[in-house]
């Protein structure tokens, strides 16, 4: 039989062409691929919607803050102050540029993630199979498709085996369409376009069964999907809970801002006269209240957070999953490849009463004759080019010890096969023996299934199952092997119709990943229950779970699960963490039962049948290496390395992102309070106004990078995985957090207003007093930045492990502050005048010492929460 690297096993077994021949070319060369990409572009739909730099700039320009700045500039022009208007509008463009660059950075992060998580394609290139991104497929590529794949481009079928696709995306018909190459169908069987469709596959459709080879005929906009104007890139998943929460908070603040703006404008006109100046005062207050940073903070945190999670080899397909990670209470994982290395090796052979432990295959000089037949039929019952790690292990052992012996049969042809099924976890291969009237049948599967197929007597059945249980207790994956002869012309309908003879057992070891016990222990400390769901024998599952540190007091099998009522299952799930002999369909039952118990569920999966469970879970996690496209599309996260520790790291990062986002919001609310206070208090007490729109514009240049990139870069606290999961109903910004922001902001307001009042009372000029107040305000904002790094009071927590970006932002802020308050050319437009250096540094120190007030506020609010 001929094999092709990486080809789906069943397809290779039925292929009638030889790789490298004229019928089966080696695929395109690298130079041909490059030429086609340069001439025809990438395999992307022309209608894909991307946010260009111009579009982002237009969106930013429509924000209320920028409209207010432009309005203020227009008023300055009406007042005849063109210089002030020009500088203010200059600030508009600077702030706009900063915001656009931040959003563009987020957009690039999302684009990179979209490219990485897009459907993959297996193609023949340069004589070998390669896995590439779907966008890199070109015309005339040779695609290898199999069950669960999302087809990357339109193409003609070259060879197919039981190939069927779901074309409902194009036709609306949900019934799978059987596919076949033109050469296999008689001319005129089906007329017209229907016949053409039988021989072609289309971009965006799903392979529901079988395998095949496809020569690409159209990509991107030239595909059927592109021609009818469908778009796979504009799916709107709606607002996330965080977006809804922050939107509601922003709307409340906006209404308050509008009301106060009108009130201040009227108050100014009544007490001081001049409606234009009154309108400027109102605009200043509105700019101080409007929380325009909220949407910027959220998208930056989530998109850059997704990039951070991607560095842990976990792709985020839905940003809302980042919000949910920190609330996860149950983590349901596969055993093979997730907890274990997915590198199977044959560890034990049992034939009759003979046992052979294989600790090192290379050190084994020869395989005893008693085990030759066992290995021979286990090989015949395996795929010819296996992807399954157990079958690969059997192939490796057979090639080492059965090569060039009578137990290898290169001239036998595969005549038929019976696949594994939930009802019967066993598979059989029917082999045509040359010049013989009968077929050889090789069978392997779960020991209990093989025992049932062989119709063993009670004593022999008990002995074999006890032997299998002993091996499973050692953490081995156990397979039974049987053989039969078949002389009929037709294959029986079911495997039970063969007269199987039991041969023996094979025990395979899949070692636990070294990092798993520590990761499971970390989950337990974090209040996350880890559940293992596997199709393995219960004893094998229990042994692996025990080694991983998962609770093994109870093990629930698929058969037992099927007998439970929903209520009974929900109750069993409260104390069961190991599930064995579970089918993919039963995963959905487990997820729904956990959700009914109020759990926040993260679930791993890789197959087509896992998709419902992945979609039903709060966080579906697909296996990137062995997972199907369907599983990846249903999932929120994709593991590139199929590694359990990566999931735990993603949870840790999710908690970090949420905690940092909360602190950023507390800081943002806190810095707006003194802006409001300094806009209102001087007006109420007859003092000269401190702030004008140009001052707010300067402060925005400080607040925006501080509340986004500074807090986003903060490391997680040491105890982030020592806390229980947050409640799903817990708001990002609670009334307690708003209260803390109000207290901290009020403290800043009192400090700055007191300094301003004392300066004026001391006979210091108005411009110098305004400068002193503004220096204190900016210094207090910097102090609040450090205080807000931790939600827990303590100088060590607030000032420890400061990130480099914090130094850059604070340093840049203080340099800019010194420039606009001390350089006359820059100070003039701000109505500043440089005070004596002693007073300048005194104001800086007074603002900085507000840090102590902020920490005291955290102590007071924490005490109040504990008493509550």
């Amino acid at each position: 039989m001929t094999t092709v690297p990486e080809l789906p096993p069943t397809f290779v077994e039925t292929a009638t062409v030889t790789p490298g021949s004229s019928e089966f070319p080696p695929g395109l060369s690298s130079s041909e691929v490059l030429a086609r990409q340069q001439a025809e572009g990438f395999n992307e739909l022309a209608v894909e919607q991307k946010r260009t730099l111009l579009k982002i700039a237009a969106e930013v320009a429509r924000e209320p803050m920028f409209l207010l700045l432009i309005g203020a500039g227009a008023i300055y022009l009406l007042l005849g102050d063109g210089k002030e208007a020009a500088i203010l509008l200059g600030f508009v463009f600077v702030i706009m540029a900063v915001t656009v660059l931040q959003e563009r950075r987020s957009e690039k992060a999302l684009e990179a993630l979209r490219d990485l998580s897009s459907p993959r394609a297996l193609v023949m290139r340069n004589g070998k199979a390669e896995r590439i991104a779907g966008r890199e497929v070109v015309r005339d590529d040779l695609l290898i498709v199999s069950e669960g794949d999302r087809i990357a481009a339109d193409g003609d079928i070259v060879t197919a085996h039981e190939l069927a696709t779901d074309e409902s995306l194009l036709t609306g018909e949900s019934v799978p369409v059987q596919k076949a190459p033109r050469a296999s169908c008689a001319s005129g069987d089906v007329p017209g376009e229907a016949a053409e469709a039988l021989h072609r596959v289309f971009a965006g459709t799903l392979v529901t069964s079988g395998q095949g080879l496809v020569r690409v005929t159209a990509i991107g906009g030239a595909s059927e999907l592109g021609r009818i104007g469908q778009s796979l890139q504009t799916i709107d998943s709606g607002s996330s809970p965080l977006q809804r929460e922050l939107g509601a908070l922003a709307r409340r603040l906006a209404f308050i801002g509008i009301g106060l703006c009108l009130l201040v404008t009227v108050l100014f006109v009544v007490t001081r006269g001049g409606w234009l100046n009154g309108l400027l005062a109102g605009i200043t207050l509105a700019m101080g209240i409007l929380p325009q940073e909220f949407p910027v903070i959220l998208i930056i945190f989530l998109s850059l957070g997704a990039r951070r999670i991607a560095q842990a080899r976990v792709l985020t397909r839905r940003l809302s999953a980042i919000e949910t990670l920190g609330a996860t209470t149950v983590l349901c994982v596969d055993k093979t490849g997730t907890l274990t290395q997915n590198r199977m090796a044959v560890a034990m052979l049992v034939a009759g009463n003979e046992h052979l432990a294989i600790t090192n295959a290379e050190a084994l000089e020869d395989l005893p004759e008693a085990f030759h037949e066992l290995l021979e039929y286990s090989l015949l019952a395996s795929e010819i080019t296996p992807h399954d790690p157990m079958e690969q292990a059997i192939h490796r052992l057979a090639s080492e010890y059965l090569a060039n012996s009578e137990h290898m049969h290169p001239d036998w042809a595969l005549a038929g096969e019976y696949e594994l099924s939930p009802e019967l976890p066993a598979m059989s291969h029917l082999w045509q023996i040359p010049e013989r009237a009968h077929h050889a049948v090789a069978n392997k599967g779960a020991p209990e299934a093989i025992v049932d197929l062989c119709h063993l007597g009670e004593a022999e059945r008990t002995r074999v199952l006890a032997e299998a249980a002993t091996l499973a207790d050692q953490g081995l994956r156990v397979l039974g092997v049987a053989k039969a002869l078949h002389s009929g012309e037709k294959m029986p309908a079911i495997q039970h119709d063969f007269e199987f003879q039991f041969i023996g057992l094979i025990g395979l070891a899949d070692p636990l990943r070294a990092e798993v016990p520590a990761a499971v222990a970390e989950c337990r400390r974090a209040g996350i229950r880890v559940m293992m769901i596997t199709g393995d024998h219960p004893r094998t599952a229990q042994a692996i779970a025990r080694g991983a540190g998962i609770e093994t007091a109870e093990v629930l099998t698929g058969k037992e699960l099927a007998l439970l009522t929903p209520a009974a299952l929900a109750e069993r799930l409260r104390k069961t963490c190991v599930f064995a002999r579970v089918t993919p369909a039963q995963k959905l039952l487990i997820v729904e039962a956990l959700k009914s118990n109020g759990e926040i569920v993260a679930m791993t999966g890789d197959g087509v049948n896992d998709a419902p469970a992945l979609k039903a879970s709060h966080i579906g996690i697909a296996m990137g290496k062995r997972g199907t496209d369907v599983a990846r599309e249903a999932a929120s996260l994709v593991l590139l390395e199929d590694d359990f520790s990566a999931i735990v790291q993603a949870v840790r990062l999710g908690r970090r992102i949420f905690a940092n986002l909360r602190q950023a919001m507390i800081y943002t609310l806190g810095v707006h309070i003194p802006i409001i206070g300094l806009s209102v208090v001087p007006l109420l007490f007859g003092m000269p106004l401190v702030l004008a729109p140009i001052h707010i514009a300067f402060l925005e240049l400080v607040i925006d990078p501080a509340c986004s990139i500074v807090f986003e870069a903060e490391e997680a606290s040491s105890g982030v995985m020592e806390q229980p999961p947050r409640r799903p109903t817990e708001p990002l910004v609670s009334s307690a957090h708003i209260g803390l922001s109000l207290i901290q902001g009020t403290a800043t307001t009192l400090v700055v207003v007191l300094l301003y009042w004392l300066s004026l009372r001391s006979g210091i000029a108005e411009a110098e007093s305004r400068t002193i107040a503004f220096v204190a305000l900016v210094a207090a904002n910097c102090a609040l930045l450090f205080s807000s790094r931790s939600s827990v009071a303590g100088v060590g927590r607030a000032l420890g492990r400061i990130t480099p970006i914090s130094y850059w932002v604070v340093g840049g802020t203080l340099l800019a502050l010194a420039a606009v308050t001390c350089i006359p050319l820059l100070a003039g437009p701000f109505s500043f005048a440089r005070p004596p250096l002693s007073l300048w540094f005194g104001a800086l120190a007074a603002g900085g010492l507000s840090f102590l007030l902020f920490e005291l506020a955290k102590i007071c609010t924490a005490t109040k929460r504990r008493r509550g």
Side-chain angles (χ1 to χ4, degrees):
M1 299 290 293
T2 303
T3 62
V4 179
E6 299 294 330
L7 289 183
T10 307
F11 168 73
V12 175
E13 291 161 2
T14 56
T16 59
V17 290
T18 305
S21 71
S22 60
E23 295 178 278
F24 194 126
L28 300 177
S29 65
S30 298
S31 59
E32 289 174 317
V33 170
L34 182 59
R36 278 169 170 73
Q37 287 178 344
Q38 290 175 342
E40 302 176 9
F42 287 95
N43 183 32
E44 298 172 318
L45 294 179
V47 289
E48 181 182 352
Q49 299 296 318
K50 292 184 179 179
R51 294 176 76 214
T52 62
L53 198 62
L54 186 62
K55 186 174 181 181
I56 293 174
E59 290 175 0
V60 170
R62 290 195 294 268
E63 289 292 327
M65 171 60 69
F66 296 104
L67 297 177
L68 287 173
L69 282 170
I70 293 170
I75 292 174
Y76 277 122
L77 285 175
L78 291 175
L79 291 171
D81 195 343
K83 187 177 179 181
E84 188 89 7
I87 293 174
L88 188 61
L89 293 176
F91 267 114
V92 170
F93 290 113
V94 172
I95 296 173
M96 211 168 159
V98 171
T99 306
V100 168
L101 288 175
Q102 286 184 334
E103 291 222 19
R104 184 57 184 156
R105 185 183 178 194
S106 301
E107 192 69 19
K108 284 184 176 179
L110 294 176
E111 287 175 8
L113 293 176
R114 281 196 291 265
D115 290 342
L116 285 172
S117 61
S118 65
R120 314 289 285 171
L122 186 62
V123 299
M124 288 295 297
R125 285 187 181 170
N126 300 306
K128 61 180 182 180
E130 294 181 13
R131 183 74 66 177
I132 63 172
R135 70 185 297 270
E136 297 176 7
V137 171
V138 299
R139 192 171 48 81
D140 285 336
D141 254 331
L142 197 62
L143 288 183
I144 302 163
V145 298
S146 58
E147 181 179 342
D149 287 349
R150 183 72 67 180
I151 296 173
D154 290 5
D156 292 333
I157 298 169
V158 178
T159 308
H161 173 69
E162 299 180 354
L163 182 64
T165 62
D166 177 0
E167 298 181 353
S168 57
L169 180 69
L170 300 174
T171 66
E173 296 291 337
S174 59
V175 179
V177 181
Q178 295 296 322
K179 301 291 183 177
R182 285 183 174 80
S184 65
C185 298
S187 177
D189 283 352
V190 182
E193 293 182 2
E196 181 66 18
L198 292 177
H199 312 313
R200 301 185 64 211
V201 293
F202 303 97
T205 59
L206 174 68
V207 179
T208 58
S209 65
Q211 304 87 22
L213 284 171
V214 174
R215 188 179 302 282
V216 174
T217 58
I219 64 170
S223 68
E224 189 70 20
L225 187 63
R227 279 199 297 270
I228 63 174
Q230 295 285 347
S231 174
L232 301 179
Q233 305 295 330
T234 55
I235 300 172
D236 182 9
S237 56
S239 299
S240 68
L242 271 185
Q243 289 172 321
R244 290 193 293 270
E245 178 187 343
L246 292 181
L249 179 59
R251 284 191 294 273
R252 286 198 295 270
L253 292 176
F255 284 129
I256 294 172
I258 292 170
L260 288 177
C261 173
L262 295 174
L263 182 63
V264 165
T265 301
V266 172
L267 183 63
F268 188 99
V269 172
V270 170
T271 59
R272 305 191 184 193
W275 68 271
L276 284 176
N277 286 316
L279 190 57
L280 273 177
I283 288 176
T284 301
L285 177 60
M287 290 170 63
I289 294 177
L290 280 178
Q292 75 285 344
E293 299 91 355
F294 283 5
V296 175
I297 294 172
L298 184 60
I299 189 61
I300 286 176
F301 266 72
L302 295 184
S303 57
L304 295 186
R307 283 295 295 271
R308 292 189 185 279
I309 292 175
Q311 291 170 1
R313 309 298 290 164
V314 181
L315 295 181
T316 306
R317 296 194 71 254
R318 295 177 180 84
L319 290 181
S320 58
I322 296 175
E323 303 175 25
T324 316
L325 277 169
T328 302
T329 60
V330 173
L331 186 53
C332 300
V333 297
D334 297 320
K335 177 186 76 67
T336 305
T338 305
L339 298 178
T340 63
Q341 297 178 13
N342 200 21
R343 295 177 181 172
M344 284 285 188
V346 177
M348 179 69 73
L349 298 176
V350 179
N353 294 321
E354 300 283 336
H355 294 67
L356 178 65
I358 306 175
T359 55
N360 187 348
E362 294 180 359
L364 189 65
E365 292 185 5
D366 194 18
L367 187 70
E369 182 63 33
F371 303 100
H372 281 196
E373 186 180 48
L374 174 62
L375 187 54
E376 171 191 359
Y377 275 87
S378 64
L379 179 66
L380 290 171
S382 302
E383 304 289 2
I384 294 174
T385 306
H387 281 217
D388 183 88
M390 292 189 296
E391 295 189 342
Q392 290 175 345
I394 292 170
H395 270 258
R396 285 195 299 270
L397 192 65
S399 65
E400 184 72 22
Y401 296 106
L402 297 185
N404 302 317
S405 73
E406 71 276 10
H407 297 285
M408 298 292 280
H409 308 284
D411 55 341
W412 288 15
L414 185 64
E417 61 180 311
Y418 296 82
E419 297 180 354
L420 291 165
S421 68
E423 296 76 22
L424 184 62
M427 63 183 297
S428 295
H429 280 177
L430 195 69
W431 294 90
Q432 175 66 56
I433 305 174
E435 301 179 357
R436 299 282 183 89
H438 58 264
H439 295 77
V441 185
N443 173 273
K444 67 174 172 56
E448 56 267 36
I450 305 304
V451 164
D452 186 42
L453 287 171
C454 293
H455 306 293
L456 298 180
E458 189 60 36
E460 182 66 6
R461 175 190 181 89
T462 301
R463 184 191 70 79
V464 170
L465 293 181
E467 185 70 61
T470 301
L471 297 179
D473 285 339
Q474 301 170 23
L476 301 181
R477 178 75 180 267
V478 186
L479 297 176
V481 181
K483 66 176 183 178
L485 291 176
H486 177 65
S487 302
E489 289 289 333
K490 294 183 179 180
M491 290 172 57
I494 57 174
Q495 296 181 74
H496 273 285
D497 290 343
F498 293 111
E499 295 183 4
F500 283 112
Q501 297 177 28
F502 184 75
I503 301 176
L505 300 171
I506 292 183
L508 298 106
D510 184 10
L512 197 68
R513 290 181 183 267
E515 67 275 10
V516 163
V520 170
E522 187 174 11
C523 283
R524 297 182 75 165
R525 290 195 300 272
I528 301 172
R529 194 154 57 108
V530 180
M531 291 182 168
M532 186 180 79
I533 304 175
T534 179
D536 274 355
H537 191 282
R539 291 175 182 264
T540 305
Q542 198 169 30
I544 294 295
R546 192 180 300 114
I550 299 173
E551 179 60 48
T552 60
E554 290 194 26
V555 178
L556 187 65
T557 66
K559 285 186 177 180
E560 294 169 335
L561 188 152
L563 299 175
L564 296 175
T565 63
L569 176 58
E571 184 59 35
R572 286 290 299 272
L573 289 178
R574 297 183 191 279
K575 50 189 175 181
T576 304
C577 292
V578 181
F579 300 83
R581 290 286 189 253
V582 171
T583 65
Q586 290 177 320
K587 284 187 177 183
L588 180 59
L589 296 177
I590 294 173
V591 169
E592 295 294 357
L594 287 169
K595 288 167 67 177
S596 70
N597 283 350
E599 306 282 5
I600 302 298
V601 186
M603 162 74 75
T604 67
D606 56 9
V608 177
N609 292 333
D610 289 335
L614 292 175
K615 198 165 185 67
S617 62
H618 296 96
I619 304 176
I621 305 172
M623 303 295 105
K625 280 190 172 180
R626 68 179 191 272
T628 61
D629 284 345
V630 174
R632 285 192 287 269
E633 289 179 14
S636 304
L637 303 176
V638 179
L639 298 186
L640 294 183
E641 296 298 332
D642 298 358
D643 182 0
F644 175 75
S645 64
I647 305 175
V648 181
Q649 192 170 351
V651 171
R652 188 188 303 113
L653 285 170
R655 290 189 173 193
R656 164 190 164 176
I657 291 164
F658 190 88
N660 287 347
L661 181 58
R662 170 175 285 166
Q663 295 308 118
M665 293 299 178
I666 293 173
Y667 167 80
T668 304
L669 289 171
V671 297
H672 279 273
I673 302 302
I675 296 175
I676 298 169
L678 289 174
S679 300
V680 176
V681 173
L683 184 62
L684 293 176
F685 290 93
M687 294 186 288
L689 296 183
V690 178
L691 298 179
I694 193 170
H695 302 117
I696 307 297
F698 179 89
L699 291 172
E700 284 299 319
L701 287 175
V702 178
I703 297 170
D704 278 353
C707 65
S708 55
I709 59 175
V710 169
F711 284 98
E712 194 280 329
E714 285 294 325
E715 295 292 334
S717 66
S718 57
V720 71
M721 290 296 280
E722 307 291 331
Q723 305 163 1
R726 63 178 176 82
R727 298 186 309 277
T729 55
E730 179 183 341
L732 173 66
V733 183
S734 65
S735 56
H737 298 129
I738 295 175
L740 175 60
S741 295
L742 285 172
I743 294 173
Q744 292 176 328
T746 301
T748 302
T749 304
L750 292 175
V751 169
V752 176
V753 169
L754 182 61
L755 274 178
Y756 186 51
W757 180 74
L758 289 174
S759 298
L760 293 172
R761 284 290 299 265
S762 301
I764 299 174
E766 178 184 322
E768 290 183 7
S769 297
R770 181 179 292 108
T771 305
I772 290 170
F774 194 75
V775 168
L777 174 62
V778 174
N781 282 348
C782 292
L784 182 60
L785 174 66
F786 289 110
S787 179
S788 298
R789 294 177 65 237
S790 172
S791 60
V792 181
V795 175
R797 290 179 180 272
L799 301 180
R801 298 187 305 167
I802 297 175
T803 58
I805 192 67
S806 299
Y807 287 120
W808 280 104
V809 168
V810 172
T813 298
L814 295 179
L815 283 176
L817 177 65
V820 300
T821 56
C822 298
I823 299 175
L825 184 64
L826 299 177
F830 286 86
S831 299
F832 289 154
R834 189 182 72 181
L837 288 179
S838 58
L839 291 179
W840 194 95
F841 282 107
L844 191 71
L849 288 175
S850 301
F851 175 85
L852 300 177
L853 296 177
F854 302 149
E855 291 300 301
L856 181 62
K858 287 197 285 188
I859 294 172
C860 294
T861 53
T863 303
K864 186 176 180 180
R865 284 198 299 270
R866 284 196 295 270
R867 288 175 178 173

